[in-house]
Amino acid sequence: MRLLRAIFVWCNLFGVFELSFGAKERNYEFDVEYIYKKPDCLEHVVMGINGQFPGPTIRAEVGDTLVINVTNKLSTEGTVIHWHGIRQRGTPWADGTAAISQCAINPGETFQYKFEVDKSGTYFYHGHYGMQRAAGLYGSLIVDLPKSQREPFHYDGEFNLLLSDLWHTSSHEQEVGLSSAPMRWIGEPQTLLINGRGQFNCSLAAKFVNTTLPQCNFKGDEECAPEILQVKPKKTYRIRIASTTSLASLNLAISNHKLLVVEADGNYVHPFAVDDIDIYSGETYSVLIKTNQNPTKNYWIAIGVRGRKPNTPQALTILNYKTISASIGVRGRKPNTPQGLTNKTNSVFSFIPNSPPPITPLWNDTKHSKAFTKQIISKMGTPQPPKFSHRRILLLNTQNRIGSFTKWAINNVSLTLPTTPYLGAIKYKLNNTFDKNPPPETFPKDYDIFKNPVNPNTTTGNGVYMFNKDEIVDVILQNANQLHGNGSEIHPWHLHGHDFWVLGYGEGKFKPLDAKSFNLTRAPLRNTVVVFPYGWTALRFKADNPGVWAFHCHIEPHLHMGMGVIFAEGVHKIRKVPTEALTCGATAKMLLNDTLH
């Protein structure tokens, strides 16, 4: 009995419980609060978890159950956490979307997220309430294959790079500006961060680039010193890359090293080699690199802005070939993984490469972006999309106005979320909690996507696209000209609760005949997809996951300004929703009445 009790105590301390068939229950306690940090060598208030920024990395194996108790230690606002890329099969209330899958967690309250991770891959988590992702509420989530299974590619060690952007104005100030008349745009980020670290008032590469910034010295600023990736020669390393940026589309390159892309959004892809990769907000990748360069030299890892005229310096860190037997900060799946990661400030200066960092492709070189994106096809053996769909929805992305306020709209409707979570409202048939009229499934055939909108006005709405269980749905994302002047932005769209097949991309306005060019054999599975300026993107998914799911632009200010829609499917098949998810709006009244009666 004492031995069993000791084992239980040990497991409880380390947050791991063994379940059947080798799966584990992994327990975490997350305290969400504002903290002071120096992510770019200047002190800011950011959102952190357990005093950490970014939040702790969660690592699990396929089949494990994650139990995360999130306590809101913010004094004046609610919070939720979305587990980006986790499909939440059977647990739609754990998706972590305020007003969609659950009520916001009030100050002082604790909400338990409990769900199974059913697919290996590179994921992350982030706040999904207001603009809390922009405030720094995010962290990495890695799901490994069970130890009895092998990846379809070999690697000797791995690193994790979580990419983000940082403003020197608070997310609250940004929200107020976006909701003002006239709108005050947030502008470009001041700094790009790699694993929560960057430099604003100095440069790692001052002697190589045209800058007035001094060379970094990091005295007293260890928090912003770069984490140096230490590798051994003649090995293969997996680099997991996730972008949780609020605005910036990014490009990543490692000087003198090819990147072999092998995973996108938790799905294997047909491997292909490139010099650099574009990564949009919400996307994740795994790339393999071979350490086959001169081991006496060091090499830049550079991240720069794409898709918008940049006013933000590149983020830089360093790849260091470690030729001595000892390793610093060894991390990775295997205990004997020959790799290391260090941010010791006395080491940084000796590691500075003796050549300039890679130059980011021109921000508006969309040919480069499209060439990379279109190389992503599924790995042989990946499930193919159904040959036909039951329904096609065309979603026109436009910038519009409501009076003097600027909004983003989909088919001329700007999303505003209700006070009662959709999941509870639909499940328990609570009338009048959201608009029962379904949103438009298309837009006027004569709409000219190359011109400013003839009618610049829009309306708000919170209707839902309802799908039958197992219905095959095509979605065509159509980009258009902006409200004023000439220009069309890049928008990365993320679907909750599903992976979808990317059937293709096209220039100009989508035409029914374009469907003949859809890729129905090697379409990649993704959960986030980009729609290029003045173009369209086609995707297909199966509505086989009962729940209510957000589908939205992953650029934080665009979502805040209404750029999203709501999908619902098979809600009547969901078992009882935990009451803790429904303690607001009409569902709270329903629960109170049930208690009284």
Side-chain angles (χ1 to χ4, degrees):
M1 181 62 73
R2 282 184 182 175
L3 179 60
L4 289 175
R5 187 180 293 117
I7 292 172
F8 176 82
V9 169
W10 185 90
C11 290
N12 192 38
L13 283 173
F14 287 89
V16 179
F17 292 88
E18 191 78 25
L19 302 176
S20 59
F21 306 111
K24 294 181 176 66
E25 183 177 285
R26 300 178 184 268
N27 291 262
Y28 295 86
E29 301 290 330
F30 275 15
D31 290 346
V32 177
E33 57 193 333
Y34 284 108
I35 55 178
Y36 282 107
K37 287 290 181 182
K38 289 184 175 181
D40 65 350
C41 305
L42 297 181
E43 189 172 70
H44 309 280
V45 172
V46 297
M47 293 192 80
I49 296 174
N50 302 343
Q52 298 181 42
F53 168 79
T57 295
I58 294 175
R59 192 138 199 163
E61 289 186 3
V62 171
D64 287 352
T65 297
L66 297 182
V67 182
I68 304 119
N69 294 312
V70 175
T71 300
N72 181 357
K73 291 198 169 182
L74 310 171
S75 57
T76 59
E77 60 191 291
T79 193
V80 294
I81 295 181
H82 168 56
W83 316 96
H84 186 106
I86 306 300
R87 295 175 293 182
Q88 300 294 348
R89 292 189 177 276
T91 52
W93 52 82
D95 190 46
T97 47
I100 300 171
S101 64
Q102 69 170 105
C103 300
I105 308 167
N106 289 321
E109 293 182 347
T110 298
F111 182 83
Q112 184 179 90
Y113 292 98
K114 185 175 183 178
F115 54 90
E116 182 182 332
V117 287
D118 64 345
K119 187 161 67 73
S120 66
T122 304
Y123 308 104
F124 61 99
Y125 61 85
H126 61 81
H128 216 292
Y129 181 79
M131 291 180 63
Q132 291 182 349
R133 175 160 53 95
L137 185 52
Y138 47 76
S140 294
L141 197 169
I142 308 299
V143 182
D144 291 309
L145 286 172
K147 291 181 176 61
S148 60
Q149 298 181 29
R150 286 186 170 275
E151 300 278 12
F153 42 81
H154 165 79
Y155 56 99
D156 300 296
E158 71 175 68
F159 297 97
N160 186 43
L161 299 183
L162 185 65
L163 313 181
S164 55
D165 42 15
L166 179 73
W167 279 256
H168 292 174
T169 53
S170 72
S171 60
H172 295 128
E173 187 174 341
Q174 292 179 37
E175 286 181 20
V176 173
L178 293 170
S179 303
S180 296
M183 178 191 69
R184 299 185 184 186
W185 178 242
I186 65 172
E188 299 306 304
Q190 276 67 61
T191 314
L192 302 178
L193 304 179
I194 303 173
N195 291 344
R197 296 167 178 268
Q199 299 81 44
F200 172 72
N201 54 7
C202 66
S203 172
L204 279 178
K207 64 180 180 180
F208 298 114
V209 296
N210 184 17
T211 179
T212 58
L213 294 174
Q215 184 72 36
C216 295
N217 62 34
F218 302 116
K219 289 181 179 177
D221 289 328
E222 290 82 2
E223 287 180 28
C224 63
E227 292 183 332
I228 295 169
L229 278 64
Q230 294 191 318
V231 297
K232 285 189 173 182
K234 299 180 181 179
K235 301 290 184 182
T236 299
Y237 290 86
R238 179 181 190 171
I239 302 180
R240 297 179 183 267
I241 309 161
S243 175
T244 184
T245 55
S246 178
L247 174 66
S249 302
L250 302 174
N251 179 271
L252 180 145
I254 303 177
S255 52
N256 292 50
H257 290 75
K258 287 282 189 181
L259 310 176
L260 186 71
V261 181
V262 294
E263 178 214 346
D265 293 353
N267 294 286
Y268 299 126
V269 299
H270 182 71
F272 64 98
V274 289
D275 293 320
D276 57 81
I277 69 167
D278 279 351
I279 180 167
Y280 303 98
S281 178
E283 291 187 327
T284 67
Y285 289 98
S286 281
V287 300
L288 302 182
I289 65 165
K290 291 187 179 297
T291 52
N292 54 9
Q293 298 300 302
N294 184 342
T296 66
K297 294 184 177 181
N298 297 308
Y299 303 90
W300 292 110
I301 301 174
I303 292 102
V305 172
R306 300 279 281 123
R308 304 179 62 86
K309 192 170 184 178
N311 193 27
T312 312
Q314 284 182 303
L316 298 170
T317 189
I318 298 164
L319 186 74
N320 165 246
Y321 279 58
K322 192 165 183 62
T323 55
I324 60 176
S325 58
S327 62
I328 301 174
V330 171
R331 307 196 313 184
R333 277 192 73 182
K334 307 178 185 71
N336 60 350
T337 299
Q339 55 123 35
L341 185 151
T342 181
N343 61 319
K344 293 186 176 181
T345 54
N346 60 356
S347 303
V348 172
F349 309 111
S350 61
F351 291 154
I352 297 293
N354 57 10
S355 58
I359 298 174
T360 305
L362 288 176
W363 68 274
N364 56 357
D365 182 0
T366 53
K367 282 187 177 180
H368 187 92
S369 302
K370 292 173 183 177
F372 168 75
T373 302
K374 291 177 181 180
Q375 286 187 79
I376 303 171
I377 60 173
S378 65
K379 185 175 176 62
M380 289 294 290
T382 300
Q384 294 183 351
K387 298 300 181 187
F388 302 98
S389 63
H390 302 118
R391 188 168 167 186
R392 177 179 293 166
I393 297 174
L394 286 85
L395 301 179
L396 175 68
N397 300 216
T398 57
Q399 198 179 49
N400 298 86
R401 287 200 308 256
I402 295 180
S404 300
F405 297 91
T406 303
K407 297 289 184 181
W408 281 96
I410 305 302
N411 291 352
N412 210 38
V413 179
S414 184
L415 179 65
T416 55
L417 295 173
T419 56
T420 301
Y422 288 106
L423 186 64
I426 298 172
K427 168 72 176 172
Y428 299 110
K429 300 178 180 177
L430 300 176
N431 296 323
N432 303 318
T433 57
F434 63 93
D435 189 352
K436 290 300 186 294
N437 295 317
E441 299 210 357
T442 188
F443 56 92
K445 290 183 178 180
D446 60 352
Y447 190 95
D448 190 340
I449 67 164
F450 296 102
K451 294 182 178 178
N452 306 123
V454 175
N455 174 16
N457 300 312
T458 188
T459 185
T460 58
N462 54 29
V464 177
Y465 293 95
M466 300 280 191
F467 303 126
N468 295 322
K469 178 73 166 56
D470 294 331
E471 191 171 9
I472 308 300
V473 182
D474 280 1
V475 178
I476 312 297
L477 290 164
Q478 177 68 64
N479 217 337
N481 199 79
Q482 60 198 31
L483 182 59
H484 301 293
N486 295 317
S488 181
E489 294 189 38
I490 282 176
H491 299 287
W493 275 75
H494 172 59
L495 178 58
H496 293 228
H498 303 78
D499 286 342
F500 50 73
W501 290 276
V502 182
L503 302 183
Y505 306 86
E507 309 291 332
K509 191 172 175 181
F510 178 81
K511 302 178 294 297
L513 284 176
D514 289 326
K516 292 185 178 298
S517 66
F518 284 172
N519 177 5
L520 298 179
T521 56
R522 301 294 297 276
L525 277 167
R526 304 293 302 263
N527 61 56
T528 304
V529 70
V530 61
V531 54
F532 290 108
Y534 298 113
W536 56 264
T537 299
L539 58 95
R540 179 170 292 175
F541 73 96
K542 186 176 183 179
D544 60 354
N545 191 9
V548 184
W549 310 106
F551 181 44
H552 61 90
C553 178
H554 210 262
I555 293 175
E556 189 87 318
H558 289 182
L559 174 59
H560 183 75
M561 296 164 68
M563 198 173 191
V565 295
I566 305 297
F567 292 165
E569 63 210 53
V571 177
H572 63 285
K573 293 183 175 294
I574 298 170
R575 57 190 171 91
K576 187 176 184 297
V577 179
T579 56
E580 294 81 4
L582 304 176
T583 55
C584 61
T587 45
K589 295 178 183 178
M590 177 196 72
L591 293 171
L592 179 62
N593 289 334
D594 288 348
T595 301
L596 294 175
H597 296 92

